[in-house]
Amino acid sequence: CVPHDRRVILVHDCCITQRDIDLVMGHFTAPVWWCLCPRSNRYISGLEPPVELLRRNRLNICLGTDSLASNDRLSVFEEMRMFPGIPLPELLAWAARGGAQALGMEDEFGEIAPGRRCGLTVVSGLDYDTLCLTPASQTRIFFRSLSQYSFGESPSCLLNIRLRCWGYSNPSPSATCAMDAPVAKSLFARWITY
């Protein structure tokens, strides 16, 4: 039997029932993560996870890609596309914060915050009324995470240049790092709230 205080990640979850959820959640005291890999499931079995059941139980959900043995692309965005009725803020929470927390890396990754490493991606082609992805949804990398920098300590020129492209500028180079992180967080929070 798996010790009750061990954090676990349960992957695929295609055949989960309410009884299974009750047993699992009744046993573990540490966080339990339910990792969905819908594109891999489609390839292997054609089964789909009971997403509404997981959501109704307010479980910790994250997204995975499985591997190239059962998926043609290791793209979390492509996994997100498999849930067309789920609002983008919830999908992003599953993909970013959920993935980081499931792996025990939430102090380093998972959200735009000072001290965290992140990359930013622009998502276009949304249904802006429902904030859901559409078949036309696409991503474009805004900037990649640089392993030697965290968001709050990024090179001033990088953030300054990127923010100028979006109509923001900071006339004081000495305050660029201090001002750019909150401005960037505010900019993206208006588009996508986690």
Side-chain angles (χ1 to χ4, degrees), residues 46-68:
L47 297 174
E48 296 180 5
V51 176
E52 291 309 316
L53 177 65
L54 300 174
R55 291 174 77 207
R56 221 177 11 258
N57 280 274
R58 298 181 177 269
L59 299 175
N60 296 323
I61 299 174
C62 61
L63 298 178
T65 59
D66 205 8
S67 74
L68 288 175

Side-chain angles (χ1 to χ4, degrees), residues 5 14-16 39 69 74 84 101 104 115 136 144 155 157 161 164 182:
D5 59 347
C14 289
C15 299
I16 295 293
R39 296 179 76 237
L74 301 181
Q101 289 174 338
R144 294 185 190 279
C157 60
I161 289 167
R164 273 202 191 128

Side-chain angles (χ1 to χ4, degrees), residues 16-72:
I16 295 293
T17 65
Q18 184 62 53
R19 182 174 183 273
D20 298 322
I21 291 170
D22 294 341
L23 286 171
V24 168
M25 299 311 290
H27 174 75
F28 289 100
T29 56
V32 175
W33 288 91
W34 305 77
C35 182
L36 308 181
C37 309
R39 296 179 76 237
S40 174
N41 299 336
R42 179 177 280 177
Y43 177 81
I44 292 172
S45 66
L47 297 174
E48 296 180 5
V51 176
E52 291 309 316
L53 177 65
L54 300 174
R55 291 174 77 207
R56 221 177 11 258
N57 280 274
R58 298 181 177 269
L59 299 175
N60 296 323
I61 299 174
C62 61
L63 298 178
T65 59
D66 205 8
S67 74
L68 288 175
S70 62
N71 207 331
D72 64 346

Side-chain angles (χ1 to χ4, degrees), residues 108-192:
E108 190 174 354
F109 297 102
E111 66 181 349
I112 301 169
R116 306 279 173 93
R117 291 180 6 193
C118 68
L120 299 176
T121 301
V122 175
V123 179
S124 61
L126 297 174
D127 176 336
Y128 288 98
D129 292 330
T130 63
L131 272 184
C132 290
L133 296 174
T134 69
S137 296
Q138 297 179 6
T139 61
R140 183 172 47 86
I141 294 173
F142 189 64
F143 78 83
R144 294 185 190 279
S145 174
L146 304 174
S147 61
Q148 69 268 35
Y149 300 108
S150 65
F151 192 78
E153 303 159 353
S154 295
S156 60
C157 60
L158 174 68
L159 279 179
N160 208 14
I161 289 167
R162 298 295 188 190
L163 291 174
R164 273 202 191 128
C165 292
W166 290 91
Y168 288 85
S169 63
N170 181 0
S172 170
S174 62
T176 299
C177 286
M179 293 178 71
D180 279 346
V183 169
K185 186 173 182 180
S186 169
L187 172 66
F188 288 99
R190 281 184 291 181
W191 284 5
I192 301 167

